[in-house]
Amino acid sequence: MSDGSMASAGSVPIKNIVLVGRAGNGKSATGNSLIRQQMFTSGAQATGVTMTCQTFRAVTEDLHRHRQIINVIDTPGLFDLSKPVEYISKEIVRCLALVDEGLHAVVLVLSVRTRMTQEEESVVTTLQSLFGAKILDYLIIVFTGGDELEANNQTLDAYLSTCPEFLTRIFTLCGNRKVLFNNRTVDADKKDRQIQQLLAHVAAIGNNNAGRPFTEEMHRQIKEETKKLREAEARYSEKAEKRLVKQSYDRKMEEMAIMVEETIKDAWKAHQRMMRVMENMVPRREQDPKVSCNIM
């Protein structure tokens, strides 16, 4: 179901799931798999096709037949090093404005078809810089390209057996929450199993965090300003008054975006310094062409 179909959902709990990661890794296709509809713009374009945050909802059931609404937020390359940091910061603020109750899960989408780059390492670094280490308590890793591993009769664990230390460390920090997705399958049972695996991780995150979604100061400010805007729009009848309220809201969002921008710049600079140190400490070695995990 899309947003317009939620009127009858009543008191069904809502789980906010935000998808992050490098453009081209399959975030939009994963979002479509989760809501079981082709709603998010998806395609195999080098620059990515999602240019702004999108959100769609679906009513689903967990393994225990409990109904819930999943509110899936697809993002552009929020941490794409090729995009202007001003654009990225505004999209992060926009993304937070879409999750009234906070984040129930942050899904980092990687692909078995591509190698890990500095950009993908910087996603986690920047998430921590923006939201603190606690954000990792809500992190799930989804690997797309399950069809490719199936074609090679390879499991995800076998594929990851020779992955870099960075990825192994992230698995440890996020409680080893990882799922393989085949977004191209037409097998209904296979579709359902991978969705249920991800939702089981979302439920585990909720249990580990006493049912509390992730929120922090910036999100609380955005929520407060959005509430003020909606109340003012309902209270005022004159267009001029509504316009003034909207202008005030836009200024507040701009101020927050500037704060995010500075944090991102600092995080990227720190990450680049760390990469240079590591390059100087570790001798360069030729890659083994037989290594099974190409996220290197």
Side-chain angles (χ1 to χ4, degrees):
M1 292 185 186
S2 63
D3 279 340
S5 305
M6 293 294 121
S8 61
S11 60
V12 176
I14 297 175
K15 301 293 185 183
N16 293 317
I17 303 171
V18 62
L19 308 175
V20 300
R22 179 156 55 119
N25 275 358
K27 293 191 303 296
S28 299
T30 300
N32 287 331
S33 291
L34 286 172
I35 64 172
R36 302 175 191 267
Q37 292 190 80
Q38 297 298 309
M39 300 298 291
F40 294 109
T41 306
S42 176
Q45 298 181 15
T47 57
V49 294
T50 304
M51 297 307 295
T52 190
C53 291
Q54 297 176 301
T55 179
F56 292 99
R57 293 181 175 184
V59 175
T60 187
E61 291 184 344
D62 63 19
L63 291 171
H64 304 290
R65 300 288 185 181
H66 297 147
R67 294 175 75 244
Q68 62 184 350
I69 296 171
I70 55 171
N71 183 35
V72 181
I73 301 99
D74 185 21
T75 63
L78 282 190
F79 309 101
D80 185 342
L81 300 179
S82 67
K83 288 187 171 67
V85 69
E86 296 87 351
Y87 165 81
I88 295 170
S89 61
K90 288 178 181 177
E91 281 301 299
I92 290 174
V93 171
R94 173 176 159 76
C95 178
L96 291 175
L98 294 173
V99 288
D100 282 350
E101 300 306 318
L103 298 172
H104 295 88
V106 177
V107 176
L108 174 59
V109 181
L110 304 176
S111 172
V112 303
R113 295 187 172 91
T114 59
R115 297 182 183 277
M116 177 164 280
T117 65
Q118 179 184 352
E119 180 181 343
E120 282 163 323
E121 289 195 38
S122 73
V123 170
V124 178
T125 302
T126 307
L127 278 172
Q128 289 179 280
S129 297
L130 285 169
F131 306 119
K134 183 70 175 174
I135 193 67
L136 296 180
D137 292 343
Y138 293 80
L139 188 67
I140 302 170
I141 313 296
V142 163
F143 289 89
T144 62
D147 53 303
E148 186 164 311
L149 294 191
E150 291 167 15
N152 295 324
N153 293 317
Q154 191 176 19
T155 65
L156 180 61
D157 286 339
Y159 172 80
L160 294 171
S161 62
T162 53
C163 274
E165 182 182 348
F166 164 78
L167 197 54
T168 302
R169 186 168 64 251
I170 293 302
F171 289 150
T172 301
L173 292 172
C174 77
N176 206 39
R177 291 184 291 268
K178 59 182 184 294
V179 185
L180 179 65
F181 260 54
N182 178 350
N183 290 316
R184 296 178 179 177
T185 185
V186 294
D187 185 322
D189 289 338
K190 189 176 293 182
K191 287 180 179 180
D192 190 60
R193 281 196 302 273
Q194 62 192 20
I195 292 171
Q196 291 302 329
Q197 286 175 354
L198 189 141
L199 293 179
H201 285 314
V202 175
I205 288 172
N207 291 335
N208 293 340
N209 293 282
R212 292 188 296 270
F214 178 83
T215 59
E216 44 75 58
E217 184 57 32
M218 181 167 56
H219 177 263
R220 286 191 286 271
Q221 289 182 39
I222 292 172
K223 183 177 178 180
E224 182 179 334
E225 293 299 328
T226 303
K227 181 181 178 182
K228 288 179 182 177
L229 174 66
R230 289 171 181 168
E231 289 176 347
E233 286 179 336
R235 184 167 62 249
Y236 295 128
S237 57
E238 296 294 328
K239 289 184 177 180
E241 292 174 320
K242 291 185 177 183
R243 186 166 58 250
L244 288 174
V245 171
K246 183 63 166 59
Q247 288 173 349
S248 175
Y249 174 82
D250 289 342
R251 281 196 300 272
K252 292 288 179 61
M253 295 303 104
E254 184 67 28
E255 290 171 4
M256 291 184 196
I258 292 172
M259 291 170 57
V260 171
E261 180 182 333
E262 292 304 314
T263 302
I264 292 174
K265 287 179 179 177
D266 291 342
W268 284 357
K269 287 176 183 177
H271 182 71
Q272 288 166 354
R273 286 195 298 270
M274 181 185 70
M275 294 296 293
R276 287 194 294 269
V277 170
M278 292 177 64
E279 287 173 0
N280 291 333
M281 291 176 61
V282 181
R284 295 182 180 275
R285 292 175 296 183
E286 291 186 357
Q287 290 184 344
D288 184 348
K290 293 181 289 186
V291 170
S292 60
C293 177
N294 62 354
I295 306 183
M296 299 293 286

